[in-house]
Structures are given as C-alpha cells and as structure tokens.
Amino acid sequence: MTPTEGPAGEVVLRLDGITKRFGGLVANDAISLTLRAGEVVALLGENGAGKTTLMNILFGHYLADQGSVTVFGKPLPPGQPRAALQAGVGMVHQHFTLADNLTVLENIRLGTEPLLSFRGAGAARARVLALAQDFGLAVHPDARLGSLSVGERQRIEILKALYRNARILILDEPTAVLTPQESDALFATLKKATARGLSIIFISHKLQEVMAVADRCIVLRQGRVVGEVETRGTSRAGLAAMMVGETLAEAKVAPGPGGPVRLRLAEVSAPGLHRVSLELRGGTITGLAGVSGNGQAALADLIGGALAPLSGRIEVDGNRPSGAWTPQAAIGAGVGRIPEDRHKTGTVADFTLAENTALETYRSRFARRGVMDWRAVRAHARAVIDGYDVRCEGPDQRIRLLSGGNMQKLILGRVMEEAPGILIANQPVRGLDVGAIAYVHARLVAARDAGAAVLLISEDLDEITGLSDVIHVISAGRLSRGFARGELTQAGIGLLMAGQGFEHAA
Amino acid sequence: MRLEPIAHPGLARRLGPPAAAIVATVLVAALLAALAGANPFAVLGQIVTGAVGSRFAALETLNRATPLIFTGLAVAVAFRARLWNIGAEAQLYAGAIIAVLLGTGALGSPFVLPVSALVAMLAGACILLVPVLLKVRLGVDEVVTTLLFNFIMVLIVSYLLEGPMKDPMGMGWPKSAALIKEARLPRIVEGVRLHWGFGLALISAVLVWLIQTRTTLGFEMRAVGQNIRAARFAGMPVNAVLVKTALLSGGLAALAGWSEVAGLKGHLSSDLSPGFGYTGIIVAMLALLHPLGVVVSALFVAGIFVGSDAMSRAAGVPTYIADMLLAVALLFMVLAILLTRFRVVRG
C-alpha cells in the first residue's frame, strides 16, 4: 500500500464553523478545526463539551446547522454516514463494534466483503497480515475474537479501519478501557501510523496522555473552542488552565451558615480512591472539582454505600457505621443521593412516577408487614410532584416519558423529602436546560441553609465555584485539602486538576 | 425503519394489533390445513369443537390447562425479575417425584396432601436454587444451567422408574406404584372429571398476582427485572430478591408435576409431561407475564392441544399442527403487543 496523500503537513481534514443546536442548547458553537497529514490532534474537553456531537457530525450521524466538513480537499456531503468512511475517515469507538463469535479476519472483512466467498479470503488474509506487520499490530487472523483481551480487540478495530483504507483515524477515549501497558502499546502504534502519513484525532480527557501523544491540542468547553496549543510549548498545568478558563467564576450565592461535621472520611481507600480524607460539614456546600474519570464516581459511590471501603474509616455524625456500609446503611444514616445517571441508576424507566418515588423508602415508609400501601405512595408522589414542580400528568404516569429536567426534579424531591443530613449530588444538572439548572441549584442551596452537608460533584468548574463554600480537587483518585471560598486561584486549581501539588504522591 | 414509542395509545391502537394477530393466526392455520390436504374451515371448526364443543371436551381442556397454568406462572414470575428459568420441566418432575414418595403410603391421612404439596414445592425450589446461587455467586448464566437440569431430571426419573420406584405390580412397565386414595386430589364436583389441581392453579394465579402488585417483594422483583442497577443503587437486596423469586418460581413449577400425579394420573411415568415446562414459556409470553393472563393463555394453549387431538382423529391432519399454531400465535402476538406501544417510523 502506498500513501496517496501529498507531502506531509498538507491539510487532510477541515471542519469549518460547525454549529449544532439541540433546542435551546448549543452543543457546538462555530467550531473550526484542521488536521494535517501525519499529525495527532487531541480533542480535550469534559463530558458535554461537544466532542461527541462534533464527531457525530463528521460521521454524518447528525446534520450540522451551519458549517462544512472537508476531507482531502473535497467537501463531505452532510448527513451521510458512508461518505466519511469512503473518504478515508475511520473511527475507533470506546465501545467496540466487533462480533465475539467471529475470527479476527472475519471481523475485519465484516461489512465490506461477503464472508462466505472463498475468493478473496486469501488476498484479505495477506493484506491484513501486511498491515499488521506495517503498523506493529501483532494479531492472529484466525483467533476467535471472544478469546482476545480488550487491548487486542482495540488493535483489531484499528486494523479494521486501516483495512478500509482509512487515512484519518479518530479514537474516542481509546485508553479508557486499557491497562497502562496496553496504553503504551497503543501509543507506539499511533507513532508508527503517523510516521506512515496517517492523521489522528485523539479524544481524551487525560492530560498526561494528551501531552505524550498529541502534537497539537484543541480544548473544547461548553461547545466552543477555548484554546489551541502545540503540546511542545505547554505543560499539563497549562492544558488544565485552558480547561479551567481565564478566570474563576464568582460565587453566585451567599456563604452557607456552616455547622458540625456530618460525614468524615479518614484515609479511606477503595477501588479508584487512594487514602481519601474528607469532612462534610452541615450548612456547607462542599464542591468536588476535577477532570472527569479521576475518582468522582468512586467517591460518590463510597459515600452513598454502593462501594465498600478497603481501608480507612467512615464516620457519620461521629459514629462509625455498625454493620457493612451498603446503600441501605447509607440511606439509613441520612445520606441522600442524587445519582450521576438518572436513567440508568436513578429511575426505573417503566415504573410510574409514584413507584419511582418509593424506590429507596418502600420498606421503611410505605409497607406494613410486607404489604405495600400504594395509597400512601401515591399521596407522597403527589406531594413530591407539587413540591418540586415536576411537570407531568400525575403519579401514575410512566417516568420514561418525562423530560430530563422533570425526572431530575422528581429524584431531587424523592431525596429531599427524607430531609437528608448529608446530600451527595453527582452531576445534578448535567444535560438540563437553564430553568431546571437554576431550580436544582436553588434547592441544593436551600438544603444547605436548612443544615444539610452537601457534596456537589461536577465537571463544570463554574458550577463548583459558583455554589461551593469549600472546594476539593480530585485527581487520579487522590483528594486535595479543602480550600475555602476565594482561597483557590485559577492557576492553583489548574495545577491540582493536572495532578500536581498533592500532599502524598502516589 | 425504527420504532417510536407512543405516549398515549388509543383504544384502537391497544386492541387493533392483537385482534389482527388472532385473525392472522387463523389464516395461517387455514393455510396449514389446506397444505395438509384438508378442508381448512372444517379443520378449524373441529379444533374448536374438539376443545370446547362438549362437556367432556371442555373438562379435558381444563385438565390440560392445569399444569400449564402452574408452569406458566413459574415462568412469568421468574421472567418478570429477569431470571431466565428455562427449567420448569425439571422442577415439575421434582414435584411429581415427591408426590409419589410421600403419596404411596409413607404418610397417612389427613396430612398427606398438604404436606406432600409443600414438600413438592420445596423440592422444585431447591432444583432452581442451584442455578440461581451459581448465578448470584459466580455469574453463571442461568439459561444454560436451568435448561441442563431438565435433562438431568428426566434421566433421574427414568432411573427411578426402572429402579427404586418401579411398581412391582406394573407388569414390567416403567411406572411407579399408584398413590393411595388419601394422597389423591379430590374432584371438584363428584362425578365430573376435573380435579382440585385446577382450583389450586387458579388460586395460585391470584396469589401470585397479589404478591406482584401488593407486596414489597413484588415491587422488588419488578424493579430488579426492569433495572437491576437502579434497584441495587436504591439499596434493594438484589441477590435475596433473586433467590426468593427462584423459590417461588421453582415451587410453582413443582406443583404442576405434583398435581398431574396427585390429581390426574395417580402414578408417575416418564411420559408424565409432554413438555409442560417448555410450553409454560409460551403460555407466560402470550400472557405478557401477567399472572391472571397466564390463566387465559393456558386455557387457550390447552384448547388448541386438546382440539387438535380431536381434529386429528376426525380429519387425519397431523397433531403437529397444534405446535405450529402455537408458534405462529406466539410470534404474531409478540409482534402485536410491540405494535400497541410503538409505531413504525420510516427513516
């Protein structure tokens, strides 16, 4: 195979002024991006920054409202998924699209050639082996996919794209599923690929990887390109600073009244968390900032009882829990939990609103000797619907049909009606519209003013700084000390998010 | 083409597709009969008269429906919690074995009936408990393990019937000794060939319905089935719920075998069940896993079987037509139910 493109450095992909709106939400706001032959460009940004939307537009899954895509000098017709593939753009998804029961060779040919014809099988095998040799992707073409490791499967995905003559590879968070060794092998493969003139877009939010792999880095924030920088001329802290933005947002609310320590973690380790110490005080919103995937989910699960600690101590109101630390124990100890994913963990889609409000408390509040009191459940649901402005048809409607904002208000009401002493709000406003965001925030502040210890976990730094009385930064499972309102600077938070300045290094 | 959920299906939307499914099933049945060289209308008519056309036929249908209600309930309970119990056949035979063990003189009246029913349920529950514990503890897929138990149990039954349980007066036939009179389920009305197993099945259906809709366990079983992650997050004891579901499901399936022996046959033979355990899956699916719906669909399925037997004798069309009819009915009905909640959209 000979490279078909011109001299290195030529622009192979150009996105020009891409704008995409979903209702009132601007997912992509006039995003422009160029990719040159032989270059690795990292696309850095939090969840919801617009990376996925942008790639879906490139691949024709979405129609852009404005803007154009040009591949190898030719404009790409919008809204045609095949066009991008035929133009030589290949995507390696985070979740692989391979069939377990087929062999490596069959998987690679699947979708492009008839598998049952013997003609071409030999040629295909030779080509796969040649490509594998070229790019240093050790594979056995006759191995069953089901017997391969995750790292090997990813190699097959890359090989599949190469087999289809991709000259531009897009990797969506490729290291999220890999071990460190597998990641290193992947980076070596990418170096070989760019040496052969391929161009790569590398989507990630791991700063050190971006520094290691990319030539250039484009930072997205709230649908906009907020910075573009050569990685040679910057540092992890510099990238973090770009993600953080120019200035820290001012606090939007008055300081909380404060109060006694309600929850204390002392040197707690758990899968994804390394000797975390944390105090949540009543009448205080404690904000948890950090690049996503650094242990936020584990911390929320730990406090919520879904994750048991391996070592260290948990204290609620000064007492250690008597039995095992489970969701029931946490709920019983007065921990209210607003989960990160309201569809997958927060609600049961085919249950009614009433049933969903009773999910956590059906035994303690709504049952006598194992018999449900549905009248009480419905009455309670009506109170939640009225008290938390849930727009719906009534308690007997299936929750599946509610908008995200109304679903979240229902979860909020379900939690708040228990008057929790400790409230864990994990990404409470992700994906909500402006009105619902303001509503949820106001409720969190009201809970704080009523004396609850609130832990606010968010990837949106403005949300954290706008609401929190105390801010911790989490990085690679380690937690910084708490910083009082106004104590933390933009540069300081950037350094911590980049993993620098922690008291005990890993 | 893709499916789009309908927020508020109207009456036509809710009744139209199932009605169309019934019509389509009848048309396919007519086609099959014509292919077999018979008059389609005559065949259909004979199936209906064969199932409900006389007092004898109707009672036969009710008797045939009894084990199907039990296995249908067993499957419906388990599937509702996404516990894929394909092994109702094995649990059925466990119940049948207990009926013989305790009913051939080991226990005297008046306790023999209730005690043997309870022990039979326990035995069926234990049979299902093994795959469920393997699933909960080790993540072993219960579809495979429950299915394999069916073959194990069939072999155990034929061993028992050739060996320790063989009726010494049976002239060499592989069947067990007959149950004593006190261990037999009485008839509902004297002189009518319908035993109390049918009554017990109806009561079970109502009880299962009450459990599912009125109790915390039912709430948990439905939550675990529909979103196990949310159930776990909410603090539900997911593993305990699965185990309790297994106990209930296995117990119900065991009653199918127990009532066939204690109510109908009076002894155990290896042809006790013509696949009641598997047919229970069809019954449950046709009923959309609704416990009261199970009664209706079990009557429908039993009617088709009994009616086809009669039709076959009269018209000479093979009884396999019953199996094909059920398969077709199931496919159409599943599709129809989908169409009551979703509309097909182009593009």
Side-chain angles (χ1 to χ4, degrees), chain A residues 382-467:
Chain A
R382 261 185 226 108
V384 169
I385 289 166
D386 293 343
Y388 294 82
D389 189 30
V390 182
R391 310 279 165 81
C392 63
E393 289 161 15
D396 295 324
Q397 190 186 4
R398 278 168 200 246
I399 202 164
R400 172 193 289 287
L401 302 166
L402 252 52
S403 72
N406 284 313
M407 207 183 273
Q408 191 71 331
K409 285 179 189 170
L410 189 91
I411 293 173
L412 192 70
R414 169 174 92 196
V415 171
M416 297 292 208
E417 284 293 290
E418 303 304 310
I422 300 156
L423 179 62
I424 311 301
N426 192 357
Q427 317 285 354
V429 299
R430 181 188 279 171
L432 301 190
D433 62 64
V434 182
I437 289 174
Y439 186 87
V440 171
H441 282 166
R443 284 292 185 161
L444 292 181
V445 171
R448 175 200 73 178
D449 291 341
V454 181
L455 178 65
L456 174 64
I457 302 175
S458 174
E459 289 159 16
D460 181 351
L461 204 54
D462 291 349
E463 186 186 1
I464 295 281
T465 53
L467 295 176

Side-chain angles (χ1 to χ4, degrees), chain B residues 53-221:
Chain B
S54 66
R55 193 180 142 95
F56 176 83
L59 288 173
E60 187 58 28
T61 298
L62 295 184
N63 268 334
R64 188 75 71 94
T66 301
L68 290 176
I69 295 175
F70 283 122
T71 56
L73 286 174
V75 171
V77 161
F79 280 20
R80 181 62 84 194
R82 296 233 163 184
L83 181 71
W84 305 118
N85 176 13
I86 315 293
E89 191 81 358
Q91 295 135 30
L92 176 151
Y93 273 114
I97 290 171
I98 297 297
V100 172
L101 274 181
L102 300 183
T104 45
L107 280 181
S109 63
F111 305 110
V112 55
L113 264 177
V115 168
S116 87
L118 283 176
V119 176
M121 287 185 78
L122 220 58
C126 287
I127 297 277
L128 185 52
L129 207 53
V130 175
V132 169
L133 288 178
L134 284 172
K135 171 197 170 86
V136 169
R137 295 277 163 225
L138 301 173
V140 180
D141 189 344
E142 77 275 19
V143 172
V144 178
T145 46
T146 54
L147 179 66
L148 290 180
F149 257 97
N150 292 340
F151 302 107
I152 297 174
M153 280 308 285
V154 165
L155 290 173
I156 288 179
V157 165
S158 45
Y159 156 74
L160 288 174
L161 293 180
E162 292 290 351
M165 263 191 189
K166 190 168 183 175
D167 182 5
M169 320 293 274
M171 323 257 277
W173 290 102
K175 66 187 196 69
S176 75
L179 265 56
I180 58 174
K181 191 168 175 297
E182 292 81 2
R184 295 291 305 264
L185 273 165
R187 295 187 167 178
I188 292 179
V189 180
E190 204 49 54
V192 172
R193 211 179 98 94
L194 181 66
H195 60 85
W196 262 106
F198 182 72
L200 199 58
L202 293 184
I203 293 168
S204 300
V206 173
L207 283 179
V208 167
W209 177 67
L210 287 175
I211 288 173
Q212 283 194 336
T213 54
R214 301 289 157 88
T215 68
T216 51
L217 177 62
F219 186 55
E220 289 166 339
M221 292 191 321

